[in-house]
Amino acid sequence: MTKASPTKAFAPRSRKVRILATLGPASSSPEMIAMLFEAGADAFRVNMSHGDQQSKVAVIQAIRSLEKSYGRPTTILADLQGPKLRVGKFDGGRTLLEKGTTFTLDRDPTPGDSTRVELPHREIFEAIEVGARLLLDDGKLVLRVTAHDATTIVTEVVVGGALSNSKGLNVPDVVLPMAALTSKDRSDLAFAVDQGVDWIALSFVQRPEDLAEARKLIGGKAALLAKIEKPQAIERLEEIVENCDGVMVARGDLGVELPPESVPPLQKRIIEVARRLGRPVVVATQMLESMITSPSPTRAEVSDVATAIYDGADAIMLSAESAAGAWPIESVAMMNAIGEAVERDPTHGERIHFTVIRSDPTTADALSEAAKNIAATVGAVAIVCFTSSGSTARRIARERPGVPLIVLTPQIETARRAGLLWGAYAIHTKDVDSFEEMVAKAKRMALRHGLAKAGDRVILMAGVPFKTPGSTNVLHVVRIVGDELKGYSR
């Protein structure tokens, strides 16, 4: 049976790093989403912190409609809000905290003043310690705890300033006994899974146990991504990465709770751990921040994006730049241009292999490493892998081969999730039943999608017996003749 041809031809991206674009008021229409896709967006983030669930339905449908228009799987990440800590309200809406004065947080809902305010979070009172810092309004104000009991936290104002109603609060120095999922998150997660999103991002993860409830509620219907934005998460980083399907370096809150100068080395460490454990890693927050209001970025922002690519990140993310800024298309196009420029750098291949990846003692890992090396040795133009679950694709992508990775899968969910995977070009296609059929299909797909031509070599990886997840045990090198598409309309 032949499939309907896509409305528009879509050439494979020349770059391997993926671009994750956040959608919002500036970019929620079907027309804008299509333009962002054409400008370079490989995946789309739906932020559940803003707007109601019903408003997200049309956005998700618009993303999915790209599959028919362009003949490509689409990737959707739903980002849960997580437990937001906020102070209460003030008499008159705001107050001024003077450095060196005493300021109290308590359980009294009466509007506050320059001496006190309500803190409606019982968990903080249970966990707080003398000497701990409380950061207000994205770290602009700093308090240090001098005394506390079950209903009162007394602090000294270390860094003062204006403070208004319901401003956010960070507690970087203690692990809070809070569930990673709020009631809102549970509702949003159920909605997102029902809508068929591909990735669920869990905010403010502190420990690997935080992932358990989300994993259970997802029920295998989406991949789970842990956002690393708490200092406590760094202390158990490897355990967290092992218990999720992907990670995000969420530099916003991470940079609030930690000294700013500590974030760059942590970014490199998180990427290294994710690479080593074979999980895709996204670098996010303020990457092209000035493009919220300006049609061009600063040189420092361009360097920041380039650094994440050189570090070997699977994906780089736009937040407000594409969601609410004045230049969403230009922001995606700029990130695309930076990615292409960095990957043209002759030293790029060496730099992304600075992280030493040691293969596990498994056949699949050994073959993935061999595929990368053989591709370089024989001058292959692509690696083609057949996968049902996507694990083979993740193993190969972890090696950062110098050629495109064509992911052939009979599972549309697997094809969609591959949108955050470095270098992956996923194709949803029928499964194969024999070795000969596998070879023939790999050749056809490489030709049809413009990733190979007559005379080129491609490398095949698959598992025999076919249709058996986790059985990767075949590596095969083939040469494209050029007539493989004769008699095939699709």
Side-chain angles (χ1 to χ4, degrees), residues 24 27 72 88 102 104 131 144 171 175 185 223 244 265 288 331 431-432 447:
S27 54
R72 299 288 304 119
T102 297
T104 301
R144 191 171 296 279
V171 189
V175 176
D185 293 329
C244 65
L288 296 176
S331 297
D431 209 347
V432 294
L447 276 172

Side-chain angles (χ1 to χ4, degrees), residues 276-352:
R276 181 159 45 80
L277 296 178
R279 305 298 195 273
V281 54
V282 181
V283 176
T285 319
Q286 297 177 327
M287 301 209 81
L288 296 176
E289 185 85 352
S290 67
M291 289 194 75
I292 295 173
T293 56
S294 170
S296 59
T298 67
R299 303 302 180 266
E301 288 168 339
V302 173
S303 294
D304 177 45
V305 173
T307 294
I309 299 171
Y310 279 119
D311 286 345
D314 288 80
I316 44 183
M317 191 180 98
L318 291 164
S319 300
E321 302 97 326
S322 58
W327 308 94
I329 298 171
E330 291 80 2
S331 297
V332 172
M334 175 55 65
M335 196 165 263
N336 180 71
I338 297 168
E340 291 179 343
V342 169
E343 293 181 10
R344 284 195 301 267
D345 179 0
T347 71
H348 172 254
E350 296 177 4
R351 292 179 185 274
I352 60 171

Side-chain angles (χ1 to χ4, degrees), residues 102-118:
T102 297
F103 188 73
T104 301
L105 300 105
D106 55 39
R107 304 298 303 279
D108 182 357
T110 304
D113 53 29
S114 61
T115 65
R116 60 153 297 277
V117 73
E118 179 192 14

Side-chain angles (χ1 to χ4, degrees), residues 105-301:
L105 300 105
D106 55 39
R107 304 298 303 279
D108 182 357
T110 304
D113 53 29
S114 61
T115 65
R116 60 153 297 277
V117 73
E118 179 192 14
L119 181 60
H121 301 286
R122 173 182 50 80
E123 298 88 350
I124 299 178
F125 292 87
E126 294 176 357
I128 203 65
E129 300 171 355
V130 171
R133 293 169 299 150
L134 301 178
L135 311 179
L136 300 166
D137 194 9
D138 289 334
K140 296 183 180 69
L141 290 78
V142 181
L143 313 177
R144 191 171 296 279
V145 178
T146 58
H148 65 90
D149 58 31
T151 59
T152 304
I153 299 174
V154 182
T155 72
E156 178 188 357
V157 179
V158 178
V159 178
L163 183 62
S164 55
N165 290 345
S166 305
K167 283 297 183 183
L169 177 139
N170 294 78
V171 189
D173 300 330
V174 297
V175 176
L176 297 177
M178 300 181 70
L181 291 172
T182 65
S183 57
K184 170 179 166 54
D185 293 329
R186 293 186 189 93
S187 174
D188 287 342
L189 189 154
F191 164 80
V193 169
D194 184 61
Q195 291 293 311
V197 307
D198 311 299
W199 287 84
I200 299 289
L202 189 61
S203 297
F204 302 112
V205 174
Q206 297 186 91
R207 49 195 171 252
E209 293 82 4
D210 290 340
L211 301 166
E213 183 183 2
R215 177 77 76 186
K216 181 178 180 180
L217 292 174
I218 290 170
K221 296 178 181 178
L224 178 60
L225 182 141
K227 294 170 66 177
I228 308 299
E229 50 194 334
K230 299 283 290 182
Q232 293 77 17
I234 302 298
E235 297 172 9
R236 302 183 67 182
L237 180 61
E238 295 213 10
E239 294 174 85
I240 290 172
V241 176
E242 285 177 344
N243 284 277
C244 65
D245 302 305
V247 295
M248 179 184 291
V249 189
R251 304 181 305 178
D253 277 274
L254 198 59
V256 169
E257 300 207 358
L258 290 168
E261 65 273 15
S262 68
V263 174
L266 282 177
Q267 173 175 310
K268 294 179 184 295
R269 179 184 167 194
I270 296 166
I271 292 173
E272 185 272 329
V273 171
R275 286 274 312 277
R276 181 159 45 80
L277 296 178
R279 305 298 195 273
V281 54
V282 181
V283 176
T285 319
Q286 297 177 327
M287 301 209 81
L288 296 176
E289 185 85 352
S290 67
M291 289 194 75
I292 295 173
T293 56
S294 170
S296 59
T298 67
R299 303 302 180 266
E301 288 168 339

